[in-house]
């Protein structure tokens, strides 16, 4: 069952996702070598609650925190901890909120201080693969058109696409139908209609695609120990083009000032 949202509902989802976008910009403003991922989590939780919303991940399936913070070879679902971020690390920060009953869910992978050229390449290609996916998210196209666009872009840089985790529908629930894989064939999967709201979230590895789950029951890591990046937008499928409900503009305003 695919839930199609009205324009009014998409407006509410935009508000939720804009709050996530602003929360990620708060993270950008404090992120530096020497701070812990748990500190990022505390800043995010306070900001979300101060804005009249709730952290969507906290308690979701028993997840203990507001953010997923996944460092270096951690792909996604990392638990904030006393780990001290160091120069050259990357950290994927995934954030969810519930505002007025509607979910926001977006992620950005930040470089910590100066990172190597190889690391920048992975970040650039992962981000670009997300943008390619967005271009395919219009009415009449199929989910596989998004999947194929993401995969093609990521693999063109020599990177690999994580298979075990996928994007998803978004609305009054954090995870709705359909699943949105980051690999697949054009013309396959459910047909999209105007009003479908989905999260597109490529998880792209510098090395091989295989992953495993740590025995904390959450954290997903690359099997080969190489780094992984993750960017996520919520988008509303429209006629001819997608309406992106997330923005990285606030993050980039902060990063460009540094
Ligand atoms: Mg997310
Ligand atoms: Mg998501």
């Amino acid at each position: 069952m695919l839930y199609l949202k009205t324009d009014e509902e998409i407006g509410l989802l935009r508000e939720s996702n804009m709050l996530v976008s602003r929360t990620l910009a708060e993270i950008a403003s404090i992120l530096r070598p020497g701070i812990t991922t748990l500190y990022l989590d505390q800043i995010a939780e306070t900001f979300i609650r101060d804005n009249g919303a709730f952290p969507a991940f906290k308690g979701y399936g028993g997840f203990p925190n507001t953010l997923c913070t996944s460092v270096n070879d951690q792909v996604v679902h990392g638990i904030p901890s006393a780990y001290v971020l160091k120069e050259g690390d990357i950290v994927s920060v995934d954030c969810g909120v519930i505002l007025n009953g509607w979910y926001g869910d977006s992620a950005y992978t930040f470089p910590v201080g100066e990172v190597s050229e190889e690391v920048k390449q992975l970040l650039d290609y992962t981000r670009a693969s997300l943008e390619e996916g967005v271009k395919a998210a219009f009415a009449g196209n199929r989910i596989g058109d998004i999947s194929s666009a993401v995969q093609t872009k990521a693999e063109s840089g020599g990177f690999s696409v994580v298979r075990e985790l996928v994007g998803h529908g978004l609305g009054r629930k954090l995870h709705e139908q359909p699943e949105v894989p980051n690999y697949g064939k054009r013309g396959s999967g459910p047909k999209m209609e105007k009003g479908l709201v989905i999260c597109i979230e490529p998880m792209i590895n510098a090395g091989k695609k295989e992953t495993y789950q740590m025995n904390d029951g959450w954290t997903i890591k690359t099997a080969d120990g190489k780094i992984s990046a993750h960017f996520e937008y919520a988008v509303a499928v429209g006629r001819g083009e997608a309406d992106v409900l997330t923005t990285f503009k606030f993050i980039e305003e902060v990063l460009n000032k540094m």
Side-chain angles (χ1 to χ4, degrees), residues 196-217:
L196 180 68
V197 174
I198 51 175
C199 287
I200 306 175
E201 51 177 314
M203 290 150 260
I204 306 298
N205 295 349
K208 296 201 171 75
K209 67 181 186 298
E210 284 75 21
T211 66
Y212 70 99
Q213 187 177 53
M214 287 173 67
N215 56 16
D216 62 12

mmCIF file of all heavy atoms in Angstrom, residues 196-217:
data_model
loop_
_atom_site.group_PDB
_atom_site.id
_atom_site.type_symbol
_atom_site.label_atom_id
_atom_site.label_comp_id
_atom_site.label_asym_id
_atom_site.label_seq_id
_atom_site.Cartn_x
_atom_site.Cartn_y
_atom_site.Cartn_z
ATOM 1 N N LEU A 196 3.625 10.710 -3.539
ATOM 2 C CA LEU A 196 4.408 9.695 -2.808
ATOM 3 C C LEU A 196 5.614 10.400 -2.186
ATOM 4 O O LEU A 196 6.318 11.145 -2.868
ATOM 5 C CB LEU A 196 4.869 8.602 -3.775
ATOM 6 C CG LEU A 196 5.704 7.472 -3.154
ATOM 7 C CD1 LEU A 196 4.849 6.627 -2.203
ATOM 8 C CD2 LEU A 196 6.310 6.589 -4.249
ATOM 9 N N VAL A 197 5.821 10.181 -0.899
ATOM 10 C CA VAL A 197 6.979 10.779 -0.223
ATOM 11 C C VAL A 197 7.927 9.659 0.187
ATOM 12 O O VAL A 197 7.511 8.695 0.845
ATOM 13 C CB VAL A 197 6.555 11.630 0.990
ATOM 14 C CG1 VAL A 197 7.777 12.131 1.766
ATOM 15 C CG2 VAL A 197 5.708 12.818 0.518
ATOM 16 N N ILE A 198 9.175 9.791 -0.255
ATOM 17 C CA ILE A 198 10.165 8.737 0.004
ATOM 18 C C ILE A 198 11.472 9.354 0.497
ATOM 19 O O ILE A 198 11.777 10.506 0.207
ATOM 20 C CB ILE A 198 10.469 7.903 -1.270
ATOM 21 C CG1 ILE A 198 10.814 8.816 -2.456
ATOM 22 C CG2 ILE A 198 9.312 6.977 -1.593
ATOM 23 C CD1 ILE A 198 11.243 8.055 -3.707
ATOM 24 N N CYS A 199 12.216 8.541 1.236
ATOM 25 C CA CYS A 199 13.583 8.883 1.591
ATOM 26 C C CYS A 199 14.516 8.131 0.661
ATOM 27 O O CYS A 199 14.409 6.907 0.530
ATOM 28 C CB CYS A 199 13.877 8.509 3.036
ATOM 29 S SG CYS A 199 13.054 9.621 4.187
ATOM 30 N N ILE A 200 15.386 8.883 0.004
ATOM 31 C CA ILE A 200 16.430 8.290 -0.837
ATOM 32 C C ILE A 200 17.718 8.427 -0.048
ATOM 33 O O ILE A 200 18.063 9.538 0.383
ATOM 34 C CB ILE A 200 16.533 9.021 -2.190
ATOM 35 C CG1 ILE A 200 15.165 9.060 -2.890
ATOM 36 C CG2 ILE A 200 17.587 8.358 -3.078
ATOM 37 C CD1 ILE A 200 15.154 9.873 -4.189
ATOM 38 N N GLU A 201 18.395 7.303 0.212
ATOM 39 C CA GLU A 201 19.534 7.371 1.129
ATOM 40 C C GLU A 201 20.652 6.406 0.752
ATOM 41 O O GLU A 201 20.811 5.358 1.371
ATOM 42 C CB GLU A 201 19.092 7.170 2.582
ATOM 43 C CG GLU A 201 18.224 5.970 2.878
ATOM 44 C CD GLU A 201 17.928 5.890 4.392
ATOM 45 O OE1 GLU A 201 18.849 6.050 5.192
ATOM 46 O OE2 GLU A 201 16.754 5.651 4.746
ATOM 47 N N PRO A 202 21.432 6.781 -0.274
ATOM 48 C CA PRO A 202 22.559 5.913 -0.646
ATOM 49 C C PRO A 202 23.563 5.740 0.484
ATOM 50 O O PRO A 202 23.921 6.706 1.158
ATOM 51 C CB PRO A 202 23.201 6.643 -1.833
ATOM 52 C CG PRO A 202 22.624 7.999 -1.857
ATOM 53 C CD PRO A 202 21.319 7.941 -1.144
ATOM 54 N N MET A 203 23.966 4.478 0.690
ATOM 55 C CA MET A 203 25.049 4.110 1.602
ATOM 56 C C MET A 203 26.120 3.499 0.720
ATOM 57 O O MET A 203 25.905 2.436 0.130
ATOM 58 C CB MET A 203 24.529 3.095 2.631
ATOM 59 C CG MET A 203 23.556 3.709 3.631
ATOM 60 S SD MET A 203 22.343 2.521 4.240
ATOM 61 C CE MET A 203 20.917 2.935 3.227
ATOM 62 N N ILE A 204 27.236 4.215 0.585
ATOM 63 C CA ILE A 204 28.221 3.876 -0.442
ATOM 64 C C ILE A 204 29.571 3.608 0.217
ATOM 65 O O ILE A 204 30.038 4.401 1.042
ATOM 66 C CB ILE A 204 28.347 5.040 -1.461
ATOM 67 C CG1 ILE A 204 26.960 5.414 -2.041
ATOM 68 C CG2 ILE A 204 29.338 4.686 -2.566
ATOM 69 C CD1 ILE A 204 26.249 4.322 -2.815
ATOM 70 N N ASN A 205 30.167 2.472 -0.169
ATOM 71 C CA ASN A 205 31.421 2.031 0.448
ATOM 72 C C ASN A 205 32.620 2.322 -0.450
ATOM 73 O O ASN A 205 32.537 2.167 -1.671
ATOM 74 C CB ASN A 205 31.385 0.524 0.714
ATOM 75 C CG ASN A 205 30.335 0.144 1.747
ATOM 76 O OD1 ASN A 205 29.766 1.009 2.415
ATOM 77 N ND2 ASN A 205 30.078 -1.152 1.861
ATOM 78 N N ALA A 206 33.727 2.688 0.183
ATOM 79 C CA ALA A 206 34.972 2.905 -0.565
ATOM 80 C C ALA A 206 35.511 1.584 -1.101
ATOM 81 O O ALA A 206 36.121 1.545 -2.169
ATOM 82 C CB ALA A 206 36.003 3.572 0.329
ATOM 83 N N GLY A 207 35.291 0.517 -0.366
ATOM 84 C CA GLY A 207 35.785 -0.800 -0.778
ATOM 85 C C GLY A 207 34.639 -1.681 -1.258
ATOM 86 O O GLY A 207 33.846 -1.287 -2.098
ATOM 87 N N LYS A 208 34.577 -2.873 -0.695
ATOM 88 C CA LYS A 208 33.558 -3.846 -1.137
ATOM 89 C C LYS A 208 32.205 -3.558 -0.496
ATOM 90 O O LYS A 208 32.112 -2.896 0.530
ATOM 91 C CB LYS A 208 34.030 -5.256 -0.789
ATOM 92 C CG LYS A 208 35.310 -5.660 -1.535
ATOM 93 C CD LYS A 208 35.458 -7.176 -1.590
ATOM 94 C CE LYS A 208 36.587 -7.602 -2.509
ATOM 95 N NZ LYS A 208 37.918 -7.361 -1.902
ATOM 96 N N LYS A 209 31.157 -4.107 -1.104
ATOM 97 C CA LYS A 209 29.787 -3.778 -0.692
ATOM 98 C C LYS A 209 29.344 -4.487 0.590
ATOM 99 O O LYS A 209 28.382 -4.063 1.231
ATOM 100 C CB LYS A 209 28.804 -4.102 -1.819
ATOM 101 C CG LYS A 209 28.656 -5.588 -2.148
ATOM 102 C CD LYS A 209 27.674 -5.787 -3.279
ATOM 103 C CE LYS A 209 27.368 -7.242 -3.564
ATOM 104 N NZ LYS A 209 28.545 -8.050 -3.988
ATOM 105 N N GLU A 210 30.040 -5.536 0.990
ATOM 106 C CA GLU A 210 29.555 -6.371 2.099
ATOM 107 C C GLU A 210 29.642 -5.651 3.447
ATOM 108 O O GLU A 210 30.575 -4.890 3.702
ATOM 109 C CB GLU A 210 30.346 -7.681 2.174
ATOM 110 C CG GLU A 210 29.964 -8.693 1.114
ATOM 111 C CD GLU A 210 30.493 -8.379 -0.277
ATOM 112 O OE1 GLU A 210 31.467 -7.612 -0.388
ATOM 113 O OE2 GLU A 210 29.909 -8.908 -1.256
ATOM 114 N N THR A 211 28.660 -5.935 4.280
ATOM 115 C CA THR A 211 28.586 -5.322 5.610
ATOM 116 C C THR A 211 28.245 -6.383 6.652
ATOM 117 O O THR A 211 27.867 -7.505 6.304
ATOM 118 C CB THR A 211 27.471 -4.247 5.670
ATOM 119 O OG1 THR A 211 26.204 -4.892 5.510
ATOM 120 C CG2 THR A 211 27.654 -3.181 4.611
ATOM 121 N N TYR A 212 28.400 -6.004 7.912
ATOM 122 C CA TYR A 212 27.910 -6.874 8.998
ATOM 123 C C TYR A 212 27.419 -5.996 10.136
ATOM 124 O O TYR A 212 27.751 -4.798 10.209
ATOM 125 C CB TYR A 212 29.005 -7.830 9.477
ATOM 126 C CG TYR A 212 30.133 -7.170 10.232
ATOM 127 C CD1 TYR A 212 30.152 -7.182 11.631
ATOM 128 C CD2 TYR A 212 31.170 -6.508 9.574
ATOM 129 C CE1 TYR A 212 31.186 -6.575 12.334
ATOM 130 C CE2 TYR A 212 32.206 -5.894 10.271
ATOM 131 C CZ TYR A 212 32.202 -5.928 11.649
ATOM 132 O OH TYR A 212 33.207 -5.318 12.343
ATOM 133 N N GLN A 213 26.617 -6.598 11.014
ATOM 134 C CA GLN A 213 26.094 -5.867 12.167
ATOM 135 C C GLN A 213 26.923 -6.201 13.402
ATOM 136 O O GLN A 213 27.197 -7.364 13.686
ATOM 137 C CB GLN A 213 24.636 -6.252 12.403
ATOM 138 C CG GLN A 213 23.971 -5.398 13.477
ATOM 139 C CD GLN A 213 22.505 -5.757 13.639
ATOM 140 O OE1 GLN A 213 22.153 -6.916 13.835
ATOM 141 N NE2 GLN A 213 21.650 -4.764 13.529
ATOM 142 N N MET A 214 27.302 -5.143 14.122
ATOM 143 C CA MET A 214 28.069 -5.356 15.357
ATOM 144 C C MET A 214 27.175 -5.986 16.425
ATOM 145 O O MET A 214 25.947 -5.914 16.343
ATOM 146 C CB MET A 214 28.628 -4.030 15.871
ATOM 147 C CG MET A 214 29.783 -3.501 15.045
ATOM 148 S SD MET A 214 30.281 -1.848 15.570
ATOM 149 C CE MET A 214 30.939 -2.179 17.215
ATOM 150 N N ASN A 215 27.813 -6.526 17.463
ATOM 151 C CA ASN A 215 26.992 -7.205 18.476
ATOM 152 C C ASN A 215 26.313 -6.236 19.447
ATOM 153 O O ASN A 215 25.673 -6.668 20.404
ATOM 154 C CB ASN A 215 27.762 -8.313 19.189
ATOM 155 C CG ASN A 215 29.031 -7.816 19.823
ATOM 156 O OD1 ASN A 215 29.197 -6.602 19.985
ATOM 157 N ND2 ASN A 215 29.926 -8.717 20.162
ATOM 158 N N ASP A 216 26.367 -4.907 19.157
ATOM 159 C CA ASP A 216 25.493 -3.983 19.898
ATOM 160 C C ASP A 216 24.066 -4.055 19.360
ATOM 161 O O ASP A 216 23.158 -3.404 19.887
ATOM 162 C CB ASP A 216 26.023 -2.539 19.838
ATOM 163 C CG ASP A 216 26.075 -1.958 18.426
ATOM 164 O OD1 ASP A 216 25.510 -2.559 17.501
ATOM 165 O OD2 ASP A 216 26.669 -0.873 18.260
ATOM 166 N N GLY A 217 23.863 -4.854 18.310
ATOM 167 C CA GLY A 217 22.521 -5.020 17.750
ATOM 168 C C GLY A 217 22.099 -3.905 16.801
ATOM 169 O O GLY A 217 20.991 -3.938 16.256
#
